[in-house]
Coordinates of all heavy atoms in Angstrom, one line a residue:
M1 N 21.8 -4.7 -20.6 CA 22.2 -4.6 -19.2 C 21.0 -3.8 -18.5 O 20.5 -2.8 -19.1 CB 23.5 -3.8 -19.1 CG 24.0 -3.7 -17.8 SD 25.8 -3.1 -17.9 CE 26.2 -2.9 -16.3
A2 N 20.7 -4.3 -17.4 CA 19.5 -3.7 -16.7 C 19.9 -2.4 -16.0 O 21.1 -2.2 -15.7 CB 19.0 -4.6 -15.6
R3 N 19.0 -1.5 -15.8 CA 19.2 -0.2 -15.1 C 19.4 -0.5 -13.7 O 18.8 -1.5 -13.1 CB 18.0 0.7 -15.2 CG 17.8 1.2 -16.6 CD 16.6 2.1 -16.8 NE 16.1 2.8 -15.7 CZ 15.2 3.5 -15.6 NH1 14.5 3.8 -16.7 NH2 14.7 4.1 -14.5
P4 N 20.3 0.3 -12.9 CA 20.4 0.1 -11.5 C 19.1 0.3 -10.7 O 18.3 1.1 -11.1 CB 21.4 1.1 -11.1 CG 21.8 1.9 -12.3 CD 21.0 1.4 -13.4
T5 N 18.9 -0.4 -9.7 CA 17.7 -0.3 -8.9 C 17.7 1.0 -8.1 O 18.7 1.5 -7.6 CB 17.5 -1.5 -8.0 OG1 16.2 -1.4 -7.3 CG2 18.6 -1.7 -7.0
K6 N 16.5 1.6 -7.9 CA 16.4 2.7 -7.0 C 16.1 2.2 -5.5 O 16.0 3.1 -4.7 CB 15.2 3.6 -7.4 CG 15.4 4.2 -8.8 CD 14.2 5.1 -9.2 CE 14.4 5.8 -10.5 NZ 13.3 6.7 -10.9
Y7 N 16.0 1.0 -5.3 CA 15.8 0.4 -4.0 C 16.9 0.8 -3.0 O 18.1 0.7 -3.3 CB 15.7 -1.1 -4.0 CG 15.2 -1.7 -2.8 CD1 13.9 -1.8 -2.5 CD2 16.1 -2.2 -1.8 CE1 13.4 -2.5 -1.3 CE2 15.7 -2.8 -0.7 CZ 14.4 -2.9 -0.4 OH 13.9 -3.5 0.8
S8 N 16.4 1.4 -1.9 CA 17.4 1.9 -0.9 C 16.8 2.0 0.4 O 15.6 1.9 0.6 CB 17.9 3.3 -1.4 OG 16.9 4.3 -1.2
K9 N 17.6 2.3 1.4 CA 17.1 2.4 2.8 C 16.1 3.6 2.9 O 15.2 3.6 3.6 CB 18.3 2.7 3.7 CG 18.0 2.8 5.2 CD 19.2 3.0 6.1 CE 18.7 3.1 7.5 NZ 19.9 3.3 8.4
E10 N 16.4 4.7 2.1 CA 15.6 5.8 2.1 C 14.2 5.5 1.6 O 13.2 6.0 2.1 CB 16.1 6.9 1.3 CG 17.4 7.6 1.9 CD 18.7 6.8 1.8 OE1 18.8 5.9 0.8 OE2 19.5 6.9 2.6
I11 N 14.1 4.7 0.5 CA 12.9 4.2 -0.1 C 12.1 3.4 1.0 O 10.9 3.6 1.1 CB 13.1 3.4 -1.3 CG1 13.7 4.2 -2.5 CG2 11.9 2.6 -1.7 CD1 12.6 5.1 -3.2
V12 N 12.8 2.6 1.7 CA 12.1 1.7 2.7 C 11.6 2.6 3.8 O 10.4 2.5 4.3 CB 13.1 0.7 3.3 CG1 12.6 0.1 4.5 CG2 13.5 -0.3 2.2
E13 N 12.4 3.6 4.2 CA 11.9 4.5 5.3 C 10.7 5.3 4.9 O 9.7 5.5 5.6 CB 13.0 5.5 5.7 CG 14.1 4.8 6.5 CD 15.4 5.6 6.7 OE1 15.4 6.7 6.3 OE2 16.3 5.1 7.3
K14 N 10.7 5.8 3.6 CA 9.6 6.6 3.1 C 8.4 5.7 2.9 O 7.2 6.2 3.1 CB 10.0 7.3 1.7 CG 9.0 8.3 1.3 CD 9.6 9.1 0.2 CE 8.7 10.3 -0.2 NZ 9.2 11.2 -1.2
A15 N 8.5 4.5 2.6 CA 7.4 3.6 2.5 C 6.7 3.4 3.9 O 5.5 3.4 4.0 CB 7.9 2.2 1.9
Y16 N 7.5 3.2 4.8 CA 7.0 3.0 6.2 C 6.3 4.3 6.7 O 5.2 4.3 7.3 CB 8.1 2.7 7.2 CG 8.4 1.2 7.3 CD1 9.6 0.7 7.0 CD2 7.4 0.2 7.6 CE1 10.0 -0.6 7.0 CE2 7.7 -1.1 7.6 CZ 9.0 -1.5 7.4 OH 9.3 -2.9 7.4
E17 N 6.8 5.4 6.3 CA 6.2 6.7 6.6 C 4.9 6.8 6.0 O 4.0 7.4 6.5 CB 7.2 7.9 6.2 CG 6.6 9.2 6.3 CD 7.4 10.3 5.7 OE1 8.7 10.3 5.8 OE2 6.8 11.2 5.0
Y18 N 4.8 6.4 4.7 CA 3.5 6.5 4.0 C 2.5 5.7 4.7 O 1.3 6.1 4.8 CB 3.7 6.0 2.5 CG 2.4 5.9 1.8 CD1 1.8 7.1 1.3 CD2 1.7 4.7 1.7 CE1 0.5 7.0 0.7 CE2 0.5 4.6 1.0 CZ -0.1 5.8 0.5 OH -1.3 5.7 -0.1
I19 N 2.8 4.5 5.1 CA 1.9 3.6 5.8 C 1.4 4.3 7.1 O 0.1 4.3 7.3 CB 2.4 2.3 6.1 CG1 2.7 1.5 4.9 CG2 1.5 1.5 7.1 CD1 3.6 0.2 5.1
R20 N 2.2 5.0 7.8 CA 1.8 5.7 9.0 C 1.0 7.0 8.7 O 0.1 7.3 9.4 CB 3.0 6.1 9.8 CG 3.7 5.0 10.6 CD 4.7 5.5 11.6 NE 5.7 6.3 10.9 CZ 6.8 5.9 10.3 NH1 7.1 4.6 10.3 NH2 7.7 6.7 9.7
D21 N 1.4 7.7 7.7 CA 0.9 9.1 7.4 C 0.3 9.3 6.0 O 0.4 10.3 5.4 CB 2.1 10.1 7.6 CG 2.7 10.0 9.0 OD1 1.9 9.8 9.9 OD2 3.9 10.3 9.2
Y22 N -0.3 8.2 5.5 CA -0.9 8.3 4.1 C -1.9 9.5 4.0 O -2.0 10.0 2.9 CB -1.5 7.0 3.7 CG -2.7 6.6 4.6 CD1 -4.0 7.1 4.3 CD2 -2.6 5.9 5.8 CE1 -5.0 6.8 5.2 CE2 -3.6 5.6 6.6 CZ -4.8 6.0 6.3 OH -5.8 5.7 7.1
E23 N -2.6 9.8 5.1 CA -3.6 10.9 5.0 C -3.0 12.3 4.7 O -3.6 13.1 4.1 CB -4.4 10.9 6.4 CG -5.3 9.7 6.5 CD -5.9 9.6 7.9 OE1 -5.3 10.0 8.9 OE2 -7.1 9.3 7.9
Q24 N -1.7 12.4 5.1 CA -1.0 13.7 4.8 C -0.9 14.0 3.3 O -0.7 15.1 2.8 CB 0.3 13.9 5.5 CG 1.4 13.2 4.7 CD 2.8 13.4 5.4 OE1 2.9 14.1 6.4 NE2 3.8 12.9 4.8
Y25 N -1.0 12.9 2.5 CA -0.9 13.0 1.0 C -2.3 13.1 0.4 O -2.5 13.1 -0.8 CB -0.2 11.7 0.4 CG 1.2 11.6 0.9 CD1 1.6 10.8 1.9 CD2 2.2 12.4 0.3 CE1 2.8 10.7 2.4 CE2 3.5 12.3 0.8 CZ 3.8 11.5 1.8 OH 5.1 11.4 2.3
G26 N -3.4 13.2 1.3 CA -4.7 13.3 0.8 C -5.4 12.0 0.4 O -6.5 12.0 -0.2
H27 N -4.9 10.9 0.9 CA -5.4 9.6 0.6 C -6.3 9.1 1.7 O -6.0 9.3 2.9 CB -4.3 8.6 0.4 CG -3.3 9.0 -0.7 ND1 -2.1 8.3 -0.8 CD2 -3.4 9.9 -1.6 CE1 -1.5 8.8 -1.9 NE2 -2.2 9.8 -2.3
M28 N -7.5 8.7 1.3 CA -8.5 8.1 2.3 C -8.0 6.9 2.9 O -8.4 6.6 4.1 CB -9.9 8.0 1.6 CG -10.5 9.2 1.0 SD -11.2 10.3 2.2 CE -12.5 9.3 2.9
I29 N -7.4 6.0 2.1 CA -6.9 4.7 2.6 C -5.5 4.6 2.0 O -5.2 5.1 0.9 CB -7.8 3.5 2.3 CG1 -7.9 3.4 0.8 CG2 -9.1 3.6 3.0 CD1 -8.6 2.1 0.3
P30 N -4.6 3.9 2.7 CA -3.3 3.6 2.1 C -3.5 2.6 0.9 O -4.4 1.8 0.9 CB -2.5 3.0 3.2 CG -3.5 2.4 4.1 CD -4.8 3.2 4.0
S31 N -2.7 2.8 -0.1 CA -2.8 1.9 -1.3 C -1.4 1.7 -1.9 O -0.5 2.5 -1.8 CB -3.8 2.4 -2.3 OG -3.3 3.6 -2.8
I32 N -1.3 0.7 -2.6 CA -0.1 0.4 -3.4 C 0.1 1.5 -4.5 O 1.2 2.0 -4.7 CB -0.1 -1.0 -3.9 CG1 0.1 -2.0 -2.8 CG2 1.2 -1.2 -4.9 CD1 0.0 -3.5 -3.2
E33 N -1.0 1.9 -5.1 CA -0.9 2.9 -6.1 C -0.4 4.3 -5.5 O 0.3 5.0 -6.0 CB -2.2 3.1 -6.8 CG -2.6 2.0 -7.7 CD -3.0 0.7 -7.0 OE1 -3.3 0.7 -5.8 OE2 -3.1 -0.4 -7.8
G34 N -1.1 4.6 -4.3 CA -0.6 5.8 -3.6 C 0.8 5.7 -3.2 O 1.6 6.7 -3.3
L35 N 1.3 4.6 -2.7 CA 2.7 4.5 -2.3 C 3.6 4.6 -3.6 O 4.6 5.4 -3.5 CB 3.0 3.1 -1.7 CG 4.4 2.8 -1.3 CD1 5.0 3.8 -0.4 CD2 4.5 1.4 -0.8
A36 N 3.2 4.1 -4.7 CA 4.0 4.2 -5.9 C 4.1 5.7 -6.3 O 5.2 6.2 -6.7 CB 3.4 3.4 -7.0
I37 N 3.0 6.4 -6.2 CA 3.0 7.9 -6.6 C 3.9 8.6 -5.6 O 4.7 9.4 -6.1 CB 1.5 8.4 -6.6 CG1 0.8 7.9 -7.7 CG2 1.6 10.0 -6.6 CD1 -0.7 8.1 -7.8
V38 N 3.8 8.4 -4.3 CA 4.7 9.1 -3.3 C 6.1 8.8 -3.6 O 7.0 9.7 -3.5 CB 4.2 8.6 -1.9 CG1 5.2 9.1 -0.9 CG2 2.8 9.3 -1.6
L39 N 6.4 7.5 -4.0 CA 7.8 7.1 -4.2 C 8.3 7.5 -5.6 O 9.5 7.3 -5.9 CB 8.0 5.6 -4.0 CG 7.8 5.2 -2.5 CD1 8.0 3.6 -2.5 CD2 8.7 5.9 -1.5
D40 N 7.3 8.0 -6.5 CA 7.7 8.3 -7.8 C 8.2 7.1 -8.6 O 9.2 7.1 -9.4 CB 8.6 9.5 -8.0 CG 8.7 10.0 -9.4 OD1 7.7 10.0 -10.1 OD2 9.8 10.6 -9.7
L41 N 7.4 6.0 -8.5 CA 7.8 4.8 -9.1 C 6.5 4.1 -9.7 O 5.4 4.5 -9.3 CB 8.4 3.7 -8.1 CG 9.7 4.1 -7.4 CD1 9.9 3.2 -6.2 CD2 10.8 4.0 -8.4
H42 N 6.6 3.2 -10.6 CA 5.6 2.4 -11.1 C 5.1 1.3 -10.1 O 6.0 0.8 -9.4 CB 5.9 1.8 -12.5 CG 4.7 1.3 -13.2 ND1 4.1 0.1 -12.9 CD2 4.0 1.9 -14.2 CE1 3.1 -0.1 -13.7 NE2 3.0 1.0 -14.5
R43 N 3.9 1.1 -10.0 CA 3.4 0.0 -9.0 C 4.1 -1.3 -9.3 O 4.3 -2.1 -8.4 CB 2.0 0.0 -8.9 CG 1.2 -0.6 -10.0 CD -0.2 -0.9 -9.8 NE -0.7 -1.5 -11.0 CZ -1.8 -1.1 -11.7 NH1 -2.5 -0.1 -11.2 NH2 -2.1 -1.7 -12.8
D44 N 4.3 -1.6 -10.6 CA 4.9 -2.9 -10.9 C 6.3 -3.1 -10.3 O 6.7 -4.1 -9.9 CB 5.0 -3.1 -12.4 CG 3.7 -3.3 -13.1 OD1 2.7 -3.5 -12.4 OD2 3.6 -3.2 -14.4
T45 N 7.0 -1.9 -10.1 CA 8.3 -1.9 -9.5 C 8.2 -2.4 -8.0 O 9.0 -3.1 -7.5 CB 8.9 -0.5 -9.5 OG1 9.1 -0.2 -11.0 CG2 10.3 -0.5 -8.9
L46 N 7.2 -1.9 -7.4 CA 6.9 -2.3 -6.0 C 6.6 -3.8 -5.9 O 7.1 -4.4 -4.9 CB 5.7 -1.5 -5.4 CG 5.9 0.1 -5.5 CD1 4.7 0.8 -4.7 CD2 7.2 0.5 -4.9
Y47 N 5.8 -4.3 -6.8 CA 5.6 -5.7 -6.8 C 6.8 -6.5 -7.1 O 7.1 -7.5 -6.4 CB 4.5 -6.1 -7.8 CG 3.1 -5.7 -7.4 CD1 2.4 -4.7 -8.2 CD2 2.4 -6.1 -6.3 CE1 1.1 -4.3 -7.9 CE2 1.2 -5.7 -5.9 CZ 0.5 -4.8 -6.8 OH -0.8 -4.5 -6.4
D48 N 7.6 -6.1 -8.0 CA 8.9 -6.7 -8.3 C 9.8 -6.7 -7.0 O 10.4 -7.7 -6.8 CB 9.6 -6.0 -9.5 CG 8.9 -6.3 -10.8 OD1 8.1 -7.2 -10.9 OD2 9.3 -5.6 -11.8
W49 N 9.9 -5.6 -6.4 CA 10.7 -5.5 -5.2 C 10.2 -6.5 -4.1 O 11.0 -7.0 -3.4 CB 10.8 -4.1 -4.6 CG 11.6 -3.2 -5.5 CD1 12.5 -3.4 -6.5 CD2 11.7 -1.8 -5.2 NE1 13.1 -2.3 -6.9 CE2 12.6 -1.2 -6.2 CE3 11.1 -0.8 -4.4 CZ2 12.9 0.1 -6.3 CZ3 11.4 0.4 -4.5 CH2 12.3 1.0 -5.4
S50 N 8.9 -6.6 -4.0 CA 8.4 -7.5 -2.9 C 8.8 -9.0 -3.2 O 8.8 -9.8 -2.3 CB 6.9 -7.3 -2.8 OG 6.2 -7.9 -3.9
K51 N 9.0 -9.3 -4.5 CA 9.4 -10.6 -4.9 C 10.8 -10.9 -4.9 O 11.4 -11.9 -4.7 CB 8.8 -11.0 -6.2 CG 7.2 -11.0 -6.3 CD 6.8 -11.2 -7.7 CE 5.3 -11.0 -7.7 NZ 4.8 -10.8 -9.1
Q52 N 11.7 -9.8 -5.3 CA 13.0 -10.0 -5.6 C 14.1 -9.3 -4.7 O 15.1 -9.9 -4.4 CB 13.3 -9.5 -7.0 CG 12.5 -10.2 -8.1 CD 12.6 -9.5 -9.4 OE1 13.3 -8.6 -9.6 NE2 11.9 -10.1 -10.4
E53 N 13.8 -8.1 -4.3 CA 14.8 -7.3 -3.6 C 15.0 -7.8 -2.1 O 16.2 -8.0 -1.7 CB 14.5 -5.8 -3.5 CG 14.6 -5.1 -4.9 CD 16.0 -5.0 -5.4 OE1 16.9 -5.0 -4.6 OE2 16.1 -5.0 -6.6
S54 N 14.0 -7.9 -1.4 CA 14.2 -8.3 0.0 C 12.8 -8.7 0.6 O 11.8 -8.3 0.1 CB 14.8 -7.2 0.8 OG 13.8 -6.2 1.1
K55 N 12.9 -9.5 1.6 CA 11.7 -9.9 2.4 C 11.1 -8.6 3.0 O 9.9 -8.5 3.2 CB 12.0 -10.9 3.4 CG 10.8 -11.4 4.2 CD 11.2 -12.4 5.3 CE 10.1 -12.8 6.1 NZ 9.1 -11.9 6.5
E56 N 12.0 -7.7 3.3 CA 11.5 -6.4 3.9 C 10.4 -5.7 3.2 O 9.4 -5.3 3.7 CB 12.7 -5.5 4.2 CG 12.4 -4.3 4.9 CD 13.6 -3.4 5.2 OE1 14.5 -3.4 4.4 OE2 13.6 -2.7 6.3
F57 N 10.6 -5.6 1.8 CA 9.7 -4.9 1.0 C 8.4 -5.7 0.9 O 7.3 -5.1 0.8 CB 10.2 -4.4 -0.3 CG 9.6 -3.2 -0.8 CD1 10.0 -1.9 -0.3 CD2 8.5 -3.2 -1.7 CE1 9.3 -0.8 -0.7 CE2 7.8 -2.1 -2.1 CZ 8.3 -0.8 -1.6
S58 N 8.5 -6.9 0.9 CA 7.3 -7.8 0.9 C 6.5 -7.5 2.2 O 5.2 -7.4 2.2 CB 7.7 -9.3 0.8 OG 6.5 -10.1 0.9
D59 N 7.2 -7.4 3.3 CA 6.5 -7.1 4.6 C 5.9 -5.7 4.5 O 4.8 -5.5 5.1 CB 7.5 -7.1 5.7 CG 8.0 -8.6 6.0 OD1 7.3 -9.5 5.6 OD2 9.0 -8.7 6.7
I60 N 6.6 -4.8 3.9 CA 6.0 -3.4 3.8 C 4.7 -3.4 3.0 O 3.7 -2.9 3.5 CB 7.0 -2.4 3.1 CG1 8.2 -2.1 4.0 CG2 6.3 -1.1 2.6 CD1 9.3 -1.4 3.3
L61 N 4.6 -4.1 1.9 CA 3.4 -4.2 1.2 C 2.3 -5.0 2.0 O 1.1 -4.6 1.9 CB 3.6 -4.9 -0.2 CG 4.4 -4.1 -1.2 CD1 4.3 -4.8 -2.6 CD2 4.0 -2.7 -1.3
G62 N 2.7 -6.0 2.7 CA 1.8 -6.7 3.6 C 1.2 -5.8 4.6 O 0.0 -5.8 4.9
K63 N 2.1 -5.0 5.3 CA 1.5 -4.0 6.3 C 0.6 -3.0 5.7 O -0.3 -2.6 6.3 CB 2.7 -3.4 7.0 CG 3.4 -4.3 7.9 CD 4.6 -3.7 8.6 CE 5.3 -4.8 9.4 NZ 6.6 -4.3 10.0
L64 N 1.0 -2.5 4.5 CA 0.1 -1.6 3.8 C -1.2 -2.1 3.6 O -2.3 -1.4 3.9 CB 0.8 -1.1 2.5 CG 0.1 0.0 1.7 CD1 1.1 0.9 1.0 CD2 -0.9 -0.6 0.7
L65 N -1.3 -3.3 3.1 CA -2.6 -3.9 2.8 C -3.4 -4.2 4.1 O -4.6 -4.1 4.1 CB -2.5 -5.2 2.0 CG -1.9 -5.0 0.6 CD1 -1.6 -6.3 -0.1 CD2 -2.9 -4.2 -0.3
Q66 N -2.7 -4.6 5.2 CA -3.3 -4.7 6.5 C -4.0 -3.4 6.9 O -5.1 -3.4 7.4 CB -2.4 -5.2 7.5 CG -2.0 -6.7 7.5 CD -1.0 -7.0 8.6 OE1 -0.1 -6.3 8.8 NE2 -1.3 -8.1 9.2
M67 N -3.3 -2.4 6.8 CA -3.8 -1.0 7.2 C -5.0 -0.6 6.3 O -6.0 -0.1 6.8 CB -2.7 0.0 7.1 CG -3.2 1.4 7.5 SD -3.7 1.5 9.2 CE -2.1 1.7 10.0
Q68 N -4.8 -1.0 5.0 CA -5.9 -0.7 4.1 C -7.2 -1.4 4.5 O -8.3 -0.8 4.6 CB -5.6 -1.1 2.7 CG -6.6 -0.8 1.6 CD -6.2 -1.3 0.3 OE1 -6.3 -2.5 0.0 NE2 -5.7 -0.4 -0.5
Q69 N -7.0 -2.7 4.8 CA -8.2 -3.5 5.2 C -8.8 -3.0 6.5 O -10.0 -2.8 6.6 CB -7.7 -5.0 5.5 CG -8.8 -5.9 5.8 CD -8.3 -7.3 5.9 OE1 -7.4 -7.7 5.3 NE2 -8.9 -8.1 6.8
L70 N -8.0 -2.7 7.5 CA -8.5 -2.1 8.8 C -9.3 -0.8 8.5 O -10.4 -0.6 9.1 CB -7.3 -1.8 9.7 CG -7.7 -1.1 11.0 CD1 -8.6 -2.1 11.9 CD2 -6.4 -0.7 11.8
K71 N -8.7 0.1 7.7 CA -9.4 1.4 7.5 C -10.7 1.2 6.7 O -11.7 1.9 7.0 CB -8.5 2.4 6.7 CG -7.3 2.8 7.5 CD -7.8 3.6 8.7 CE -6.6 4.1 9.5 NZ -7.1 4.9 10.6
L72 N -10.7 0.2 5.8 CA -12.0 -0.1 5.1 C -13.0 -0.6 6.0 O -14.2 -0.2 5.9 CB -11.7 -1.1 3.9 CG -11.0 -0.5 2.7 CD1 -10.4 -1.6 1.8 CD2 -11.9 0.4 1.9
I73 N -12.6 -1.6 6.8 CA -13.6 -2.1 7.8 C -14.1 -1.1 8.7 O -15.4 -0.9 8.9 CB -13.0 -3.3 8.6 CG1 -12.7 -4.5 7.7 CG2 -13.9 -3.7 9.7 CD1 -11.9 -5.6 8.3
D74 N -13.3 -0.3 9.3 CA -13.7 0.8 10.2 C -14.5 1.9 9.5 O -15.6 2.3 10.0 CB -12.4 1.6 10.8 CG -11.7 0.7 11.9 OD1 -12.2 -0.4 12.3 OD2 -10.6 1.1 12.2
G75 N -14.1 2.2 8.3 CA -14.9 3.2 7.5 C -16.2 2.7 7.1 O -17.2 3.5 7.0
G76 N -16.3 1.4 6.7 CA -17.6 0.8 6.3 C -18.5 0.7 7.5 O -19.7 0.9 7.4
L77 N -18.0 0.3 8.6 CA -18.9 0.1 9.8 C -19.4 1.5 10.4 O -20.5 1.6 10.9 CB -18.1 -0.6 10.9 CG -17.9 -2.1 10.6 CD1 -17.0 -2.7 11.7 CD2 -19.2 -2.9 10.5
S78 N -18.6 2.5 10.2 CA -19.0 3.8 10.8 C -19.7 4.7 9.7 O -20.1 5.8 10.0 CB -17.7 4.6 11.2 OG -16.9 4.9 10.1
N79 N -20.0 4.1 8.5 CA -20.6 4.8 7.4 C -19.8 6.0 6.9 O -20.3 6.9 6.3 CB -22.0 5.2 7.8 CG -23.0 4.1 7.8 OD1 -22.8 3.1 7.1 ND2 -23.9 4.1 8.7
K80 N -18.5 6.0 7.2 CA -17.6 7.1 6.7 C -17.4 6.9 5.2 O -17.2 7.8 4.5 CB -16.3 7.1 7.4 CG -15.4 8.2 7.0 CD -14.1 8.2 7.8 CE -13.2 9.2 7.3 NZ -11.9 9.2 8.1
F81 N -17.3 5.6 4.8 CA -17.1 5.2 3.4 C -18.4 4.7 2.8 O -19.2 4.1 3.4 CB -16.0 4.1 3.2 CG -14.6 4.6 3.7 CD1 -13.8 3.6 4.1 CD2 -14.3 5.9 3.7 CE1 -12.5 3.9 4.5 CE2 -13.0 6.2 4.1 CZ -12.1 5.3 4.5
N82 N -18.5 4.9 1.5 CA -19.6 4.3 0.7 C -19.6 2.8 0.8 O -18.6 2.2 0.6 CB -19.5 4.8 -0.7 CG -20.5 4.2 -1.6 OD1 -20.5 3.0 -2.0 ND2 -21.5 5.0 -2.0
S83 N -20.7 2.2 1.2 CA -20.7 0.8 1.4 C -20.5 -0.1 0.2 O -19.8 -1.1 0.2 CB -22.1 0.3 2.0 OG -23.1 0.6 1.1
A84 N -20.9 0.4 -1.0 CA -20.7 -0.3 -2.2 C -19.1 -0.3 -2.6 O -18.6 -1.4 -3.0 CB -21.5 0.2 -3.4
I85 N -18.6 0.8 -2.4 CA -17.1 0.9 -2.7 C -16.3 0.1 -1.7 O -15.3 -0.6 -2.0 CB -16.6 2.4 -2.7 CG1 -17.3 3.1 -3.9 CG2 -15.1 2.4 -2.9 CD1 -17.2 2.6 -5.2
T86 N -16.7 0.2 -0.4 CA -16.0 -0.6 0.6 C -16.1 -2.1 0.4 O -15.1 -2.8 0.5 CB -16.6 -0.3 2.0 OG1 -16.5 1.1 2.3 CG2 -15.9 -1.0 3.1
K87 N -17.3 -2.5 0.0 CA -17.5 -3.9 -0.3 C -16.6 -4.3 -1.6 O -16.0 -5.4 -1.5 CB -18.9 -4.2 -0.6 CG -19.3 -5.6 -1.0 CD -20.8 -5.7 -1.3 CE -21.2 -7.0 -1.9 NZ -22.6 -7.1 -2.3
L88 N -16.6 -3.5 -2.6 CA -15.8 -3.8 -3.8 C -14.3 -3.9 -3.4 O -13.7 -5.0 -3.8 CB -16.0 -2.7 -4.8 CG -15.1 -2.8 -6.1 CD1 -15.7 -4.0 -6.9 CD2 -15.1 -1.5 -6.8
V89 N -13.7 -3.0 -2.6 CA -12.3 -3.1 -2.3 C -12.0 -4.2 -1.3 O -11.0 -4.9 -1.4 CB -11.9 -1.7 -1.8 CG1 -10.3 -1.8 -1.4 CG2 -12.1 -0.6 -2.8
L90 N -12.9 -4.5 -0.4 CA -12.7 -5.5 0.6 C -12.7 -6.9 -0.2 O -12.1 -7.9 0.3 CB -13.7 -5.5 1.7 CG -13.4 -4.5 2.8 CD1 -14.5 -4.5 3.8 CD2 -12.0 -4.9 3.5
G91 N -13.4 -7.0 -1.3 CA -13.4 -8.2 -2.1 C -12.0 -8.6 -2.5 O -11.7 -9.7 -2.7
K92 N -11.2 -7.5 -2.7 CA -9.8 -7.8 -3.1 C -9.0 -8.4 -1.9 O -7.9 -8.9 -2.1 CB -9.1 -6.5 -3.6 CG -9.8 -5.8 -4.7 CD -9.6 -6.7 -6.0 CE -10.2 -6.0 -7.2 NZ -10.2 -6.7 -8.4
H93 N -9.5 -8.2 -0.7 CA -8.9 -8.8 0.5 C -9.5 -10.2 0.9 O -9.2 -10.7 2.0 CB -9.1 -7.9 1.7 CG -8.3 -6.6 1.5 ND1 -6.9 -6.5 2.0 CD2 -8.5 -5.4 1.1 CE1 -6.4 -5.3 1.7 NE2 -7.4 -4.6 1.2
G94 N -10.3 -10.7 0.0 CA -10.8 -12.0 0.2 C -12.2 -12.0 1.0 O -12.8 -13.1 1.3
F95 N -12.8 -10.9 1.3 CA -14.1 -10.8 1.9 C -15.2 -11.0 0.8 O -15.0 -10.6 -0.3 CB -14.3 -9.4 2.6 CG -13.5 -9.3 3.8 CD1 -12.1 -8.9 3.7 CD2 -14.1 -9.4 5.0 CE1 -11.4 -8.7 4.9 CE2 -13.4 -9.2 6.2 CZ -12.0 -8.9 6.2
H96 N -16.3 -11.6 1.2 CA -17.4 -11.7 0.3 C -18.6 -11.9 1.2 O -18.6 -12.3 2.3 CB -17.3 -12.9 -0.6 CG -16.9 -14.2 0.0 ND1 -17.8 -15.0 0.6 CD2 -15.7 -14.8 0.3 CE1 -17.2 -16.1 1.1 NE2 -15.9 -16.0 0.9
D97 N -19.8 -11.6 0.6 CA -21.1 -11.7 1.3 C -21.8 -12.9 0.7 O -22.0 -13.0 -0.5 CB -22.0 -10.5 1.3 CG -22.3 -10.1 -0.1 OD1 -21.6 -10.5 -1.1 OD2 -23.2 -9.3 -0.3
K98 N -22.2 -13.8 1.6 CA -22.9 -15.0 1.2 C -23.9 -15.3 2.3 O -23.8 -15.0 3.4 CB -22.0 -16.2 1.0 CG -21.2 -16.2 -0.2 CD -20.6 -17.5 -0.5 CE -19.9 -17.4 -1.8 NZ -19.3 -18.7 -2.2

């Protein structure tokens, strides 16, 4: 028998809060790993929820990744972030240099 899920309205609210205020946790960019730490969950749980629990959590992860991409682009263009690291992480978003 499986353990009961921790998925709740409070988790959803805290996830949205993280996307808006990730910097208050000392994070340079929002990330799934950062969200998992803030929620005290394993990142695999977040991925599972995005596939199984509800479309809402899938949307949360999508918004988080959009915010991450925006912050990486802005940080890379303004030289706030190291260009090699920015390029590496943006590669996970489908960007490449050719």
Side-chain angles (χ1 to χ4, degrees):
M1 188 167 175
R3 292 177 25 180
T5 184
K6 293 182 180 181
Y7 188 83
S8 67
K9 183 179 178 180
E10 291 77 25
I11 290 282
V12 169
E13 290 170 1
K14 195 165 184 178
Y16 279 120
E17 176 190 317
Y18 174 77
I19 294 169
R20 285 188 307 272
D21 300 325
Y22 62 90
E23 289 173 321
Q24 80 175 2
Y25 298 99
H27 301 169
M28 297 287 293
I29 59 172
S31 66
I32 293 173
E33 288 75 13
L35 177 60
I37 289 169
V38 167
L39 297 177
D40 194 27
L41 297 166
H42 194 280
R43 72 171 181 230
D44 290 348
T45 301
L46 304 184
Y47 288 119
D48 288 345
W49 285 352
S50 73
K51 294 175 190 162
Q52 299 169 2
E53 289 293 333
S54 74
K55 182 181 180 317
E56 181 176 35
F57 210 80
S58 178
D59 290 344
I60 288 170
L61 292 190
K63 288 177 184 178
L64 184 146
L65 293 173
Q66 283 178 316
M67 180 64 79
Q68 182 184 79
Q69 182 176 330
L70 175 66
K71 292 298 178 177
L72 286 165
I73 291 169
D74 288 349
L77 291 172
S78 67
N79 287 325
K80 181 178 178 184
F81 296 156
N82 176 287
S83 61
I85 300 300
T86 300
K87 179 181 169 183
L88 176 72
V89 180
L90 281 173
K92 303 292 184 182
H93 289 276
F95 287 80
H96 51 83
D97 60 341
K98 284 193 175 184

